[in-house]
């Protein structure tokens, strides 16, 4: 069974601080996606990483795919209250095209 | 463009009743996914369709759950009979193609409470 463990599970920080969220698995994925979900809404895609070692930036968010395509990280610089939400990673199985979602990280940024 | 549309947004019913959740995917998308989200288990894939055909239903918890996709613009997830442990938020998502790095687009979910 493929599992994606995210850490930390919960994070509460002050505005302006930096943070990193980790997504780890023992399985190899063909690609990995990061989503953010706000209360009462469905997850919204932030980024897709495909190549081992790939780094993508989205404004203050930096995403990295591990060299072996088993893990990923999300780094937020100078967090803002608008970054508050549930962050989910999702690995895509290359054989079945199924998405395996991570356990989630709940981020709260205090003003 | 309209996103994925789910109905109803909220459903409260008594155990034993039949529940039907509905989803309209984004036009032109040929993959459709049903998920269930709870605090304890996170976001779980129940079933997914490609070109209206069920590809993998291994996540469907029991025979009480069934899903259909009669055409490219409509899908239902049915629970009969419903039980309190089925209470969760159910999401539908669609994707343009089966290519793995295509994004899924989620609806806003149906919050289901079984009393």
């Amino acid at each position: 069974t493929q599992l994606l463990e995210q850490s930390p599970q919960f994070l509460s920080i002050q505005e302006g601080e930096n943070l990193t969220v980790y997504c780890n698995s023992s399985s190899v994925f063909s690609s990995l996606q990061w989503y953010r979900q706000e209360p009462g809404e469905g997850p919204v895609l932030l980024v897709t990483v495909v190549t081992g070692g790939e780094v993508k930036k989205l404004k203050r968010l930096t995403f990295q795919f591990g060299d072996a395509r088993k893990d990923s990280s999300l780094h937020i610089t100078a967090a803002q209250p608008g970054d508050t939400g549930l962050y989910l990673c999702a690995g895509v199985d290359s054989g079945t095209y199924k998405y395996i979602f991570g356990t989630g990280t709940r981020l709260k940024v205090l003003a | 463009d309209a996103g994925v549309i789910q109905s109803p947004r909220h459903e409260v019913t008594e155990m034993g009743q039949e529940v039907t959740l509905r989803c309209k995917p984004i036009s032109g998308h040929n993959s459709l996914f049903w998920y269930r989200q709870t605090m304890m288990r996170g976001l779980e894939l129940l079933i997914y369709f490609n070109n209206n055909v069920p590809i993998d239903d291994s996540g469907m918890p029991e025979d009480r759950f069934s899903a259909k996709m009669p055409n490219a613009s409509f899908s239902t997830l049915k629970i009969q009979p419903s039980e309190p442990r089925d209470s969760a938020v159910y999401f539908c998502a669609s994707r343009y193609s089966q290519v793995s790095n295509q994004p899924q687009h989620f609806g806003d979910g149906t919050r289901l409470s079984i009393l």
Side-chain angles (χ1 to χ4, degrees):
Chain A
T1 302
Q2 294 172 308
L3 292 174
L4 271 170
E5 296 287 337
Q6 286 185 237
S7 61
Q9 192 175 0
F10 299 97
L11 191 55
S12 181
I13 62 172
Q14 293 292 325
E15 182 177 4
E17 292 184 10
N18 301 333
L19 67 117
T20 302
V21 176
Y22 299 93
C23 173
N24 294 296
S25 174
S26 57
S27 301
V28 176
F29 294 102
S30 63
S31 63
L32 192 136
Q33 299 181 337
W34 284 92
Y35 291 78
R36 181 169 67 207
Q37 184 179 15
E38 300 192 22
E41 299 181 6
V44 175
L45 180 71
L46 296 173
V47 77
T48 300
V49 285
V50 179
T51 307
E54 182 177 2
V55 176
K56 280 192 174 179
K57 292 193 174 184
L58 185 66
K59 299 183 180 177
R60 294 176 293 100
L61 279 59
T62 301
F63 305 85
Q64 184 161 8
F65 202 8
D67 291 341
R69 292 186 287 131
K70 292 182 179 181
D71 54 80
S72 181
S73 64
L74 157 60
H75 182 79
I76 301 179
T77 303
Q80 298 177 2
D83 296 327
T84 294
L86 175 66
Y87 287 81
L88 295 162
C89 62
V92 182
D93 182 276
S94 58
T96 64
Y97 301 108
K98 286 169 60 173
Y99 293 75
I100 311 298
F101 274 84
T103 48
T105 294
R106 282 192 190 279
L107 172 64
K108 186 166 187 176
V109 182
L110 304 171
Chain B
D1 287 341
V4 175
I5 299 173
Q6 291 187 246
S7 64
R9 287 297 313 273
H10 303 273
E11 174 96 13
V12 180
T13 191
E14 293 186 346
M15 66 176 294
Q17 297 296 308
E18 178 179 289
V19 172
T20 300
L21 311 181
R22 297 172 177 80
C23 175
K24 177 178 169 54
I26 293 173
S27 177
H29 284 194
N30 60 17
S31 293
L32 183 140
F33 305 79
W34 280 101
Y35 290 90
R36 177 172 67 178
Q37 186 175 40
T38 61
M39 286 294 292
M40 290 296 295
R41 300 173 67 91
L43 195 61
E44 302 174 279
L45 177 65
L46 301 177
I47 185 171
Y48 84 93
F49 296 82
N50 200 51
N51 293 321
N52 311 337
V53 176
I55 302 300
D56 188 329
D57 64 354
S58 59
M60 297 285 263
E62 302 170 28
D63 291 346
R64 298 184 296 106
F65 285 69
S66 62
K68 294 182 179 180
M69 193 164 186
N71 57 62
S73 59
F74 184 65
S75 178
T76 59
L77 178 67
K78 189 172 291 187
I79 309 173
Q80 166 63 17
S82 58
E83 296 182 4
R85 59 191 167 122
D86 302 331
S87 298
V89 181
Y90 290 80
F91 286 101
C92 174
S94 69
R95 184 175 68 187
Y96 173 66
S97 76
Q98 203 172 2
V99 174
S100 63
N101 59 355
Q102 289 288 311
Q104 291 181 95
H105 298 264
F106 284 79
D108 286 337
T110 295
R111 183 172 293 275
L112 177 65
S113 296
I114 308 297
L115 306 177

